[in-house]
Amino acid sequence: MTTPLLVALTLAAYVLLRKLYLRRPHPLLNVVVLSSAVVAAVLMGLNMPYADYIPARDIMTFLLGPATVGLAVPLYRHRGLLRLYALPILASVGLGALTAMLTAGGIARLAGLPREVVMSILPKGVSIPFAVEIARMYDGVPPLATAFVVATGTLGSLMGAVFLSRVGIRNPVARGLALGTVSHAQGTAAALEEGEEQGSMAGLALILAGVFTAVFAPLAVWILG
């Protein structure tokens, strides 16, 4: 009985916060982050261990697969953009994925962090399945890589759109590609809040960034030593 209630709690938090965001759009009203905080607060208030939430989480994460496939719908609607900007899309996402690895890994290296931490932070900008396998291949720590992915997605979804606006990037294609490349699914969710065109580009970047990160990872590891 607990599991359906926890699913209902999660959905209610998401729906209410999404309504609040639509009524008063603001970057700090991040629906994913705030609904997660509400669920965590309720669990702590009820003194309920996270293990009790896992069955509810598994039911909802099972829907991630169909949801990811569903991103193909807006992408198909905007297929004209793919034909028009195919080369710039591939070039920008590829360079973005490589730059994300080198900057994060380079900073970690300069900070003197252990090699396994450096290897774990390299794939921070891609979705968890990609990140876990890449980290494992180069002696990183998969749980640590997962934590970096979640932190990156949270920061990107909170601050990414604000940063793009501050530096004057208004083009919806560019905004979607940037959010999807550096902050994976959470960035894609933030892009969808802006519009279907931004969301479709972010979904495409989410997939391409995972592929490019896997392809460029040997180069990044070689450069970082």
Side-chain angles (χ1 to χ4, degrees):
M1 188 61 189
T2 303
T3 298
L5 290 176
L6 291 175
V7 171
L9 166 67
T10 306
L11 293 177
Y14 178 85
V15 170
L16 290 174
L17 286 164
R18 179 174 166 76
K19 285 185 176 179
L20 179 61
Y21 174 84
L22 292 176
R23 182 172 296 180
R24 296 183 180 277
H26 191 281
L28 293 179
L29 284 177
N30 186 288
V31 178
V32 175
V33 173
L34 292 179
S35 57
S36 300
V38 168
V39 172
V42 171
L43 292 178
M44 293 176 66
L46 296 175
N47 199 24
M48 184 178 293
Y50 179 69
D52 290 350
Y53 185 73
I54 290 178
R57 181 208 64 183
D58 289 343
I59 291 174
M60 291 179 284
T61 53
F62 172 77
L63 298 174
L64 279 175
T68 303
V69 174
L71 289 173
V73 175
L75 194 59
Y76 178 77
R77 289 175 180 160
H78 296 283
R79 59 190 181 282
L81 292 174
L82 297 181
R83 289 193 292 267
L84 186 61
Y85 299 118
L87 186 57
I89 287 173
L90 290 172
S92 60
V93 176
L95 287 174
L98 179 59
T99 302
M101 283 192 290
L102 291 178
T103 51
I107 292 171
R109 183 77 185 277
L110 289 174
L113 297 178
R115 187 177 188 278
E116 57 266 30
V117 177
V118 176
M119 294 299 109
S120 301
I121 205 172
L122 283 185
K124 66 177 183 52
V126 299
S127 56
I128 289 175
F130 278 107
V132 166
E133 291 305 318
I134 292 170
R136 183 179 289 123
M137 287 176 63
Y138 297 100
D139 300 326
V141 182
L144 193 55
T146 300
F148 284 134
V149 169
V150 173
T152 301
T154 301
L155 287 174
S157 61
L158 278 173
M159 303 173 64
V162 176
F163 174 78
L164 292 173
S165 297
R166 289 292 179 90
V167 298
I169 297 177
R170 313 287 181 192
N171 183 288
V173 174
R175 291 178 70 88
L177 290 175
L179 289 170
T181 300
V182 301
S183 48
H184 50 84
Q186 286 174 264
T188 301
L192 282 168
E193 298 289 350
E194 291 194 357
E196 189 175 273
E197 191 173 337
Q198 292 92 327
S200 63
M201 291 298 108
L204 175 63
L206 161 72
I207 298 168
L208 290 177
V211 175
F212 279 124
T213 299
V215 170
F216 289 145
L219 176 62
V221 172
W222 179 75
I223 292 174
L224 294 170

